[in-house]
Amino acid sequence: MTTLRLALCQVNPIVGDLVGNATIIREWARRAADAGAQLVAFPELTLTGYPVEDLVFRRSFMEASKAALGRLAADLAADGLGDLPVVVGYLDADGPPQVSGDAEPGHGARNAAALLHGGKTVATYFKHHLPNYGVFDEDRYFVPGETLSVVRVGGVDVTLTICEDLWQVGGPFAAARQAGVGLVININGSPYELKKDDVRLPLVRRRAAEARATIAYVNMIGGQDELVYEGDSMIVTAEGELLARAPQFVEHLLVHDVDLPAATDGPPADIELADGMRVLHRHIESLPATPTEKSAAGELLEPAADEAEVWQALVLGLRDYVDKNRFPTVVLGLSGGIDSSVVAALAVDALGADRVVGVSLPSQHSSEHSREDAAELAQRTGLDYRVEPIQPIVDTFLANLSLSGLSVENLQARVRGVILMALSNQEGHLVLTTGNKSELAVGYSTLYGDSVGGFNPVKDVWKTLIWQLARWRNAEAVRRGETPPIPESSINKPPSAELSPGQLDSDTLPEYDLLDPILIGYIDGDLGRDGLIEAGHDPALVEQVLRMVDTAEYKRRQSAPGTKISMKAFGRDRRLPITNRWREDGGAAEAAARLGE
């Protein structure tokens, strides 16, 4: 056996920031070298950020990525790190984009990994399995690779793989087994979903057994638009033993000494495997010296509990959206209700109280207890609190327009939206909207009113989970010896938009403990009417909820982006036509009847 000191760099790149991302790589490679590392790995597309989406089609960006990789290799050598093998994800191309008229079959943009050493690229690997589901569109952008690069590093045969390669049977991991490698480095841009960490470790163990090799899995952290990455990097042996596991939602350097099988004597020959993959061999002549001090052992950290995990994901997603897009501050309507209270607490945790403005926007229907709850939350958290009554503006509209009923309710919401956007324009804040996933699902919102905003931290959070998060965050504050941020009355009172006298959400919607399970089955689980009824839900309630969901698609298309935490967030995860006559409550029968006419 041969011992290699591995360093997995769980970092937070920014899409398109080639210079900044290269600086991150150089800084963390130096930290790894100072820790005695002999092989360093960075996440998927670290050099360009991930996902790059349609930037792939810009040849200028493609060429810039390739040039940045060459500069990075030279800079690492100039930094005195030439002997240190560094694995980096980047964007490559061996032909025009596939959407081009001059595209070449089997050539194009590549999701790539490079092993840098001695100021140059020693080996390159192109991602073989390209995901094309959920938020992923990699068949749109990339051409799959068919070659596995095996590099002999310090007497150990090491191969490179990328993210989705781990999620599919066969391909690179089967090839790695046939090639007899001792270590598979798997670099990732794997977005967070609740409970995904429960799936990840068993998956890595299955691939380690398939390859009969140790797997070093490194994942990025950080927010990118609606996606958030939680890290959770790890090292797992061929026998399935978890050697080390990094924390979630923070940048981290995982350094661990790994015992690996020594490569066979003699230079291996390049081979062609039965499934069409080719194995190419390379060799690195020099490495940093084997550390003589005490061995390095990474921590074995357990994933957080569900509420803690979701809270961290929402905080990180919000912070990175604000900071990476260079907004100085955020503003939100602070009603005293549970949704705005949770968003305010998230914003304070993400940015600090000095960067959060909460605005109470009372109308004649706003209850005294709601105003008091909003003020109390501001006092507990220390955010910048303001009161802007909307009734004089509403009355001006009503004096010039003949409105009644729902129109008046919506007018109040839209006046609030106008005020928040005016503050945004005047003072430079990003407006946060506060509608939860349950409300978005059934269209329980006002366009250009309470839905106004540039980002929605709780867009993918069901209403019942909102309450769980509020209780968890308060309990966590007590555990830390701090003041709970959310008033108990905001958590315990019946939810209400307070747009008409005595209004409650339950006047329009089913109780959320009945509503959410139906929504989860229909949206996350793709169950139809019959499947939901078979699951035990009341047929009349199922039909009512499905009608509300199906007719609200146009509203969801106009909703602000927000952090994805579920398996199916609104947006790229769920793509349904707005103009759509199919209905689960008899749509098929109606269509059949029309065809028979």
Side-chain angles (χ1 to χ4, degrees):
M1 300 293 282
T2 297
T3 300
L4 278 181
R5 182 165 292 184
L6 304 182
L8 306 183
C9 299
Q10 189 170 284
V11 296
N12 186 353
I14 300 177
V15 167
D17 188 2
L18 298 174
V19 174
N21 295 338
T23 299
I24 289 172
I25 294 167
R26 292 171 66 185
E27 290 174 349
W28 283 74
R30 167 54 62 192
R31 290 180 58 183
D34 291 344
Q38 297 172 289
L39 179 59
V40 183
F42 288 86
E44 180 177 9
L45 291 179
T46 298
L47 189 56
T48 58
Y50 181 76
V52 291
E53 302 188 87
D54 281 12
L55 285 174
V56 168
F57 300 141
R58 297 191 189 177
R59 300 191 193 191
S60 58
F61 186 69
M62 189 73 69
E63 292 305 316
S65 171
K66 294 162 67 175
L69 184 75
R71 287 195 301 272
L72 175 62
D75 288 342
L76 288 168
D79 293 340
L81 303 175
D83 284 346
L84 180 64
V86 178
V87 177
V88 175
Y90 75 107
L91 184 64
D92 203 340
D94 57 3
Q98 288 296 292
V99 296
S100 303
D102 55 350
E104 305 168 22
H107 297 273
R110 306 283 194 167
N111 185 334
L115 193 150
L116 307 179
H117 184 262
K120 60 183 180 181
T121 299
V122 173
T124 298
Y125 170 77
F126 297 150
K127 189 174 184 178
H128 179 73
H129 290 300
L130 301 178
N132 210 51
Y133 54 84
V135 299
F136 302 108
D137 290 309
E138 294 206 1
D139 272 343
R140 170 182 170 89
Y141 298 118
F142 302 119
V143 176
E146 302 294 341
T147 300
L148 191 74
S149 293
V150 177
V151 185
R152 187 157 292 180
V153 179
V156 176
D157 281 344
V158 179
T159 193
L160 313 178
T161 59
I162 302 176
C163 202
E164 185 70 13
D165 293 330
L166 185 82
W167 292 80
Q168 305 294 331
V169 176
F173 283 87
R177 176 174 180 169
Q178 292 176 271
V181 306
L183 174 67
V184 180
I185 294 177
N186 183 250
I187 65 173
N188 290 264
S190 181
Y192 170 76
E193 293 172 10
L194 179 59
K195 299 187 183 299
K196 193 174 188 178
D197 53 3
D198 297 337
V199 176
R200 186 176 286 126
L201 176 56
L203 177 68
V204 175
R205 283 176 167 148
R206 288 198 297 274
R207 292 297 164 263
E210 182 181 1
R212 290 183 182 170
T214 295
I215 294 179
Y217 171 101
V218 58
N219 191 24
M220 67 175 61
I221 71 115
Q224 170 58 34
D225 293 346
E226 295 192 298
L227 302 180
V228 64
Y229 305 93
E230 89 268 36
D232 196 28
S233 303
M234 65 184 75
I235 302 172
V236 176
T237 69
E239 295 73 33
E241 180 186 0
L242 177 63
L243 299 180
R245 192 169 191 173
Q248 297 171 287
F249 304 108
V250 293
E251 291 188 304
H252 185 77
L253 179 67
L254 177 64
V255 181
H256 195 87
D257 289 343
V258 183
D259 294 328
L260 299 164
T264 56
D265 293 336
D270 296 339
I271 57 175
E272 184 103 18
L273 302 178
D275 65 356
M277 289 201 77
R278 298 171 59 224
V279 177
L280 301 181
H281 289 85
R282 300 290 183 266
H283 184 77
I284 286 179
E285 297 293 339
S286 61
L287 279 184
T290 302
T292 56
E293 70 276 11
K294 66 179 182 179
S295 62
E299 296 178 283
L300 268 172
L301 297 177
E302 290 294 324
D306 287 355
E307 289 86 0
E309 190 178 277
V310 169
W311 192 271
Q312 291 178 78
L314 297 175
V315 165
L316 180 57
L318 173 57
R319 179 190 299 131
D320 274 9
Y321 191 87
V322 171
D323 288 346
K324 289 180 179 180
N325 288 292
R326 297 174 177 169
F327 288 101
T329 50
V330 297
V331 63
L332 71 150
L334 200 56
S335 69
I338 186 64
D339 296 323
S340 68
S341 297
V342 166
V343 171
L346 284 167
V348 170
D349 282 1
L351 306 170
D354 60 327
R355 297 179 65 190
V356 180
V357 178
V359 185
S360 173
L361 299 155
S363 74
Q364 63 178 342
H365 304 301
S366 298
S367 63
E368 188 62 31
H369 64 77
S370 290
R371 301 184 197 197
E372 291 172 354
D373 289 342
E376 183 181 348
L377 182 140
Q379 189 273 327
R380 291 182 180 213
T381 60
L383 58 76
D384 180 354
Y385 181 61
R386 309 177 190 179
V387 179
E388 298 286 350
I390 68 168
Q391 198 58 48
I393 303 174
V394 171
D395 290 341
T396 300
F397 272 97
L398 294 177
N400 291 274
L401 292 170
S402 178
L403 301 176
S404 62
L406 183 62
S407 297
V408 177
E409 294 182 25
N410 289 343
L411 174 61
Q412 296 168 68
R414 290 186 175 118
V415 167
R416 288 175 173 138
V418 167
I419 292 172
L420 291 174
M421 287 307 305
L423 291 172
S424 171
N425 296 154
Q426 183 69 24
E427 301 175 5
H429 314 297
L430 171 69
V431 177
L432 301 182
T433 186
T434 61
N436 60 71
K437 190 174 184 179
S438 305
E439 294 172 348
L440 265 137
V442 297
Y444 191 62
S445 63
T446 301
L447 280 178
Y448 325 118
D450 56 306
S451 66
V452 73
F455 194 77
N456 182 352
V458 296
K459 179 179 183 177
D460 198 30
V461 184
W462 300 110
K463 182 74 169 192
T464 47
L465 182 54
I466 290 280
W467 276 304
Q468 293 175 41
L469 291 175
R471 294 186 179 100
W472 174 85
R473 181 61 184 86
N474 278 3
E476 180 67 8
V478 171
R479 187 186 69 81
R480 297 177 189 171
E482 301 169 352
T483 301
I486 301 172
E488 284 298 316
S489 54
S490 293
I491 299 173
N492 295 326
K493 66 187 174 186
S496 170
E498 293 193 332
L499 296 173
S500 61
Q503 184 182 49
L504 296 175
D505 288 8
S506 56
D507 298 337
T508 304
L509 304 178
E511 296 291 347
Y512 287 106
D513 59 348
L514 297 176
L515 175 65
D516 279 1
I518 295 175
L519 294 174
I520 291 168
Y522 188 46
I523 293 163
D524 289 355
D526 282 322
L527 290 177
R529 172 186 177 275
D530 293 344
L532 290 165
I533 293 171
E534 288 172 9
H537 299 294
D538 176 73
L541 188 58
V542 167
E543 292 178 0
Q544 175 193 353
V545 171
L546 268 51
R547 280 194 298 272
M548 289 190 289
V549 173
D550 291 346
T551 56
E553 188 63 36
Y554 76 101
K555 284 189 176 183
R556 286 190 291 274
R557 287 290 182 93
Q558 300 178 70
S559 61
T563 303
K564 166 185 164 68
I565 62 162
S566 73
M567 64 183 297
K568 189 166 286 187
F570 290 127
R572 288 190 301 172
D573 270 336
R574 186 176 186 270
R575 310 179 198 186
L576 292 175
I578 296 174
T579 305
N580 171 23
R581 288 190 176 179
W582 169 257
R583 294 292 180 264
E584 287 288 338
D585 54 343
E590 179 184 348
R594 288 184 179 180
L595 287 173
E597 290 177 352

